[in-house]
Amino acid sequence: MMLPEEYTALIILAIAIYLFFTEKLPLPVTAMLVPIALSLTGILEPADAFSYFGDRWVVVFMGMFIISGAMFKTGFASVIGNMTVEMAGKSKFKLMLLVMVVLGIMSALLSNTGSTAVFVPVVIAVCLSSGTSPKMMLMPMAFASSLGGTLTVIGTPPNGIVNSVLYESEKYMELGFFEFAKVGIFLFVIGIAYMVLIGYKLLPTGDVEEESPNPKGKEELRTEKMWVAIIIFAFVIISMATGIVDFQVAAMLGAMLTVITGCLTMEEAFQSISWTTVFLFAGMLSMSQAIEVTGAADLIADTLVNVSETPYIVLMLFFLATAVLTNFMSNTATAAVFAPIGITVAESLQVSPYPFVMAIAIGASCCFLTPIATPPNTIVLGPAGYSFKDYFKAGWPLQLLTFIISMIVIPIVFPF
């Protein structure tokens, strides 16, 4: 006796979540096993299961990764980092504020992973010269990177996934470039203010490390191309923000211009792309389609609606479920799983899907409890010598704060 398709899809989903959680397999491998399993079980046609490598948001993120690479390779990101720490002087609180603000803004417009990575050696060097422990600076950096990602549609992969699912539904308009900032700006400002004024007290303290954070030495930068990269970057952001050029066209045109103008070599362009993100994105979007076409989304939606038919309570459940899972598995995968369910639940409750998908996007981005919750969290783990419990101790108040802010702001900005 064969299982109904919706249960088969849920079993595949459960296995994928287990593998993401335990990381018994590399994350991209788990993600690619999903369309394979969906094809073998007949839930999706192979052409459909693997079609998401051509998804418009996969194209956008690939292009933006390359443009980000040009900003780092030409030295512009390093200039911003050095200017920031020079402005802060010897004040560790001013340094924390400036680093969080600048890194958050950079993360909204560039790769938050790359932005964090370029700041790590710069900030550690300042910490060493000023006698401040890197433990006091690097975790706030990672948190600011996640908060900054909530400001734009390209700031973090979950935002792109939410837009992609809205687009695929053919019923709803995608969210605009800065529409995420309607909620994200409150998280960004209040989150940074909390860390600088109160949260720093929960950060671990330690001795100043005497070893270099970059033992391989400084990478040779192509600084003569800096202004070219800045012009390309500005063109892409303005094009996306105004809508004069489609997102995927603008991103890929900008990426190609960085190679044509010599900001990057072709090899450097390929190396700039986070292939883990691409495979996770493309693989798990097939899961999103599967749980929708098989009726699994309706099954989960009915379960949530049975818990409560009050939209506000369901909104809270979506945020909490997304945030909890994301602290232990890929935020890309979590957003891809929950976004179509959010739309289905909204339709069951006969309300707008936008507050639900926004809660899912924010819940998947604002995760501060573990070092594996986000790539920025992972990047600072080694250089600062943090432990797993350091993240939980410093992160749980910020996690709670983002939940409270979101539950207040989302229903106001995106009413049911």
Side-chain angles (χ1 to χ4, degrees):
M1 180 179 177
M2 292 187 64
L3 282 173
E5 281 192 336
E6 61 267 32
Y7 289 106
T8 303
L10 289 175
I11 290 171
I12 294 172
L13 172 60
I15 294 171
I17 289 174
Y18 169 76
L19 291 173
F20 281 131
F21 183 85
T22 59
E23 293 194 52
K24 288 183 178 294
L25 297 174
L27 297 181
V29 173
T30 296
M32 290 315 302
L33 286 175
V34 169
I36 291 171
L38 294 173
S39 299
L40 291 176
T41 55
I43 292 175
L44 295 179
E45 291 294 323
D48 293 328
F50 290 95
S51 65
Y52 291 96
F53 279 93
D55 181 86
R56 66 198 302 255
W57 287 103
V58 172
V59 175
V60 168
F61 278 110
M62 288 177 67
M64 292 309 296
F65 277 130
I66 294 173
I67 294 168
S68 297
M71 300 299 282
F72 300 127
K73 185 63 181 178
T74 58
F76 181 62
S78 296
V79 168
I80 293 176
N82 289 324
M83 287 174 59
T84 301
V85 295
E86 285 176 13
M87 288 172 62
K90 297 291 184 179
S91 169
K92 64 180 180 180
F93 297 111
K94 191 175 180 182
L95 175 63
M96 183 183 295
L97 174 62
L98 287 172
V99 166
M100 291 187 76
V101 170
V102 173
L103 182 57
I105 294 172
M106 285 178 65
S107 297
L109 302 174
L110 296 169
S111 158
N112 60 359
T113 303
S115 298
T116 304
V118 80
F119 259 68
V120 167
V122 176
V123 173
I124 287 184
V126 172
C127 288
L128 294 174
S129 63
S130 64
T132 304
S133 170
K135 289 180 183 290
M136 288 292 293
M137 294 295 168
L138 295 190
M139 195 177 294
M141 278 176 48
F143 292 171
S145 182
S146 295
L147 292 168
T150 65
L151 296 174
T152 68
V153 71
I154 62 171
T156 183
N159 291 359
I161 282 183
V162 161
N163 253 9
S164 184
V165 172
L166 287 169
Y167 178 81
E168 290 290 331
S169 72
E170 298 182 352
K171 302 176 187 176
Y172 307 104
M173 293 285 291
E174 293 177 287
L175 292 163
F177 189 86
F178 286 112
E179 279 196 84
F180 289 88
K182 293 177 180 178
V183 179
I185 192 65
F186 292 95
L187 298 169
F188 183 64
V189 173
I190 297 173
I192 291 178
Y194 161 77
M195 284 303 301
V196 173
L197 298 175
I198 302 171
Y200 75 91
K201 297 177 182 178
L202 297 176
L203 293 168
T205 57
D207 297 328
V208 180
E209 298 292 332
E210 294 298 336
E211 58 191 65
S212 168
N214 186 15
K216 295 181 181 178
K218 290 185 177 180
E219 181 184 9
E220 186 177 342
L221 300 177
R222 209 166 284 129
T223 53
E224 73 279 4
K225 298 288 185 178
M226 185 185 300
W227 281 106
V228 177
I230 293 172
I231 291 170
I232 293 171
F233 172 67
F235 159 73
V236 172
I237 296 301
I238 292 170
S239 298
M240 288 182 171
T242 59
I244 57 174
V245 180
D246 185 83
F247 279 21
Q248 55 194 335
V249 176
M252 200 48 68
L253 174 59
M256 296 305 99
L257 287 174
T258 64
V259 177
I260 292 171
T261 58
C263 296
L264 291 176
T265 65
M266 199 66 242
E267 182 181 356
E268 289 166 346
F270 281 123
Q271 291 173 348
S272 298
I273 298 172
S274 171
W275 293 105
T276 294
T277 299
V278 170
F279 278 91
L280 279 171
F281 204 111
M284 290 308 296
L285 278 176
S286 66
M287 188 75 250
S288 299
Q289 182 187 2
I291 62 176
E292 186 172 359
V293 299
T294 61
D298 294 318
L299 192 64
I300 298 172
D302 290 341
T303 303
L304 283 172
V305 171
N306 287 334
V307 172
S308 175
E309 292 188 4
T310 305
Y312 190 79
I313 299 297
V314 177
L315 184 74
M316 292 174 63
L317 292 174
F318 268 122
F319 187 100
L320 291 171
T322 305
V324 169
L325 277 178
T326 298
N327 271 293
F328 298 97
M329 60 180 272
S330 159
N331 62 354
T332 304
T334 309
V337 168
F338 276 104
I341 298 173
I343 293 175
T344 304
V345 167
E347 292 173 346
S348 298
L349 296 173
Q350 297 183 331
V351 297
S352 168
Y354 290 102
F356 295 134
V357 297
M358 181 59 67
I360 290 164
I362 298 297
S365 298
C366 295
C367 294
F368 313 105
L369 301 181
T370 71
I372 59 173
T374 63
N377 281 12
T378 305
I379 287 171
V380 301
L381 175 67
Y386 292 128
S387 67
F388 192 96
K389 65 181 181 181
D390 287 335
Y391 286 86
F392 185 84
K393 181 180 178 182
W396 76 262
L398 188 57
Q399 187 81 69
L400 179 61
L401 186 62
T402 55
F403 169 69
I404 294 171
I405 295 169
S406 297
M407 292 305 99
I408 294 172
V409 176
I410 289 175
I412 296 173
V413 178
F414 297 97
F416 294 110

